């Protein structure tokens, strides 16, 4: 079993939620609940909460991430934030290619790749999101879609740099819908992603890469999902906004 060799990572994706006082309260509540976690714990928060999150998690086991970054180092890109700006603050992680960015903000596989490149160059760890639409699952092309997204996102990424990449499989139909992929469905697609990594980088790299599942993961279903061979953690939306729920998922992932 190679699963035991891989890092389990539970990451919260707060999306566009929490003002600064709300963020402070949530982090303070969360800290003692996850202090003895047996997995990596990350919170990815809105840009406006990064400084608060970094300050409050100093000296704790909670890592801090942003939810996106631009690919340019600087320049005339009104409203955007560069990877260097995040790294300079002390941010360690960044979510890239989330389906909400792809759906609502014109993100493509090519721009995902550019952002991945910029994030790696800045020294950030990337949480790379891939996932199929319901229509694509029904058409039987899940494996092809997820494989293509993964391959294009990783163009120009070396085997060494792959150590700074976490892949999150998030079926779009399961996000925020309360409709979770079954543990077998998640395991199957996560396994396919690992197969793509094996083809691109070899077996050792594929055995080592963390592949999360995301999409309505909660305190009730986390354990079954996380027990699967290819599910190495979770990217949690709604349930990451409640400290006890998020902590229960962290507990389920702890080894
Ligand atoms: O999009 C997600 C995490 O990035 C999942 O969101 P939910 O957990 O709210 O379904």
């Amino acid at each position: 079993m190679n699963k035991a060799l891989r890092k389990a990572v539970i990451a919260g994706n707060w999306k566009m939620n929490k003002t600064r006082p709300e963020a402070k309260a949530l982090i303070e509540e969360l800290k003692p609940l996850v202090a003895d976690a047996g997995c990596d714990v990350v919170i990815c928060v809105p840009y406006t909460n990064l400084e608060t999150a970094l300050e409050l998690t100093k000296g704790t086991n909670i890592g801090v991430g942003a939810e996106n970054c631009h690919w340019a180092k600087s320049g005339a890109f009104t409203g955007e934030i560069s990877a260097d700006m995040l790294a300079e603050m002390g941010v360690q992680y960044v979510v890239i290619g989330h389906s909400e960015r792809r759906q609502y903000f014109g993100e493509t596989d090519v721009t995902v790749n550019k952002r991945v490149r910029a994030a790696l160059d800045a020294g950030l760890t990337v949480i790379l999101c891939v996932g199929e639409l319901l229509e694509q699952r029904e058409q039987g092309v899940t494996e092809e879609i997820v494989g293509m997204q993964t391959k294009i996102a990783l163009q120009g990424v070396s085997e060494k740099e792959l150590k700074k990449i976490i892949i999150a499989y998030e079926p779009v139909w399961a996000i925020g819908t309360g409709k979770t992929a079954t543990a077998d469905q998640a395991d199957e697609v996560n396994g396919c992603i690992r197969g793509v990594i094996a083809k691109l980088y070899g077996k050792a790299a594929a055995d080592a890469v963390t592949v999360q599942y995301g999409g309505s993961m909660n305190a009730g279903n986390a354990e079954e999902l996380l027990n699967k061979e290819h599910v190495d953690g979770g990217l949690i939306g709604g349930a990451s906004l409640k400290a006890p729920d998020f902590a229960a998922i962290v507990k389920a992932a702890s080894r």
Side-chain angles (χ1 to χ4, degrees):
M1 293 288 274
N2 296 312
K3 187 179 168 84
L5 304 173
R6 292 192 286 271
K7 237 198 287 182
V9 183
I10 297 294
N13 173 11
W14 288 10
K15 308 190 180 183
M16 196 175 73
N17 290 291
K18 304 292 175 188
T19 61
R20 281 189 302 169
E22 288 168 350
K24 184 171 187 291
L26 176 55
I27 294 167
E28 293 293 14
E29 190 184 353
L30 187 63
K31 278 199 284 193
L33 298 181
V34 299
D36 60 353
C39 64
D40 285 7
V41 181
V42 181
I43 51 172
C44 298
V45 305
Y47 295 130
T48 48
N49 288 330
L50 284 171
E51 192 155 20
T52 305
L54 287 165
E55 255 169 51
L56 294 177
T57 58
K58 217 173 271 171
T60 75
N61 59 332
I62 303 175
V64 173
E67 299 176 11
N68 192 22
C69 70
H70 197 265
W71 56 81
K73 280 196 162 295
S74 62
F77 299 102
T78 302
E80 293 295 313
I81 301 283
S82 75
D84 284 352
M85 290 172 178
L86 299 174
E88 185 280 329
M89 291 183 79
V91 171
Q92 304 129 296
Y93 297 83
V94 63
V95 176
I96 293 183
H98 193 277
S99 67
E100 286 148 18
R101 302 293 322 167
R102 295 178 192 258
Q103 262 185 303
Y104 308 134
F105 302 100
E107 192 79 76
T108 66
D109 291 328
V110 171
T111 56
V112 167
N113 176 238
K114 288 165 81 165
R115 290 179 211 270
V116 166
R117 197 52 271 157
L120 291 173
D121 288 341
L124 299 172
T125 295
V126 172
I127 301 178
L128 166 66
C129 302
V130 297
E132 82 288 4
L133 304 170
L134 181 58
E135 190 188 5
Q136 294 165 333
R137 175 162 283 268
E138 288 169 353
Q139 289 163 338
V141 295
T142 297
E143 200 177 313
E144 287 84 350
I145 293 291
V146 168
M148 182 180 72
Q149 291 173 337
T150 305
K151 266 186 169 171
I152 298 175
L154 296 178
Q155 305 259 306
V157 173
S158 70
E159 187 185 339
K160 186 162 171 253
E161 287 172 325
L162 191 70
K163 292 189 173 59
K164 301 272 274 182
I165 304 259
I166 294 166
I167 301 174
Y169 166 54
E170 298 206 309
V172 179
W173 47 272
I175 294 176
T177 56
K179 216 176 174 185
T180 321
T182 65
D184 285 337
Q185 283 172 328
D187 194 42
E188 189 188 351
V189 182
N190 280 26
C192 289
I193 292 169
R194 205 176 301 290
V196 170
I197 298 297
K199 270 195 199 146
L200 293 174
Y201 298 97
K203 189 175 178 311
D207 282 344
V209 70
T210 295
V211 187
Q212 299 174 317
Y213 167 79
S216 300
M217 195 191 265
N218 58 42
N221 60 26
E223 193 164 350
E224 195 191 348
L225 285 158
L226 292 164
N227 276 339
K228 288 290 176 184
E229 167 66 17
H230 294 293
V231 181
D232 305 313
L235 186 56
I236 323 297
S240 74
L241 300 173
K242 292 186 192 117
D245 291 17
F246 189 63
I249 300 171
V250 167
K251 190 157 179 251
S254 294
R255 298 173 185 156

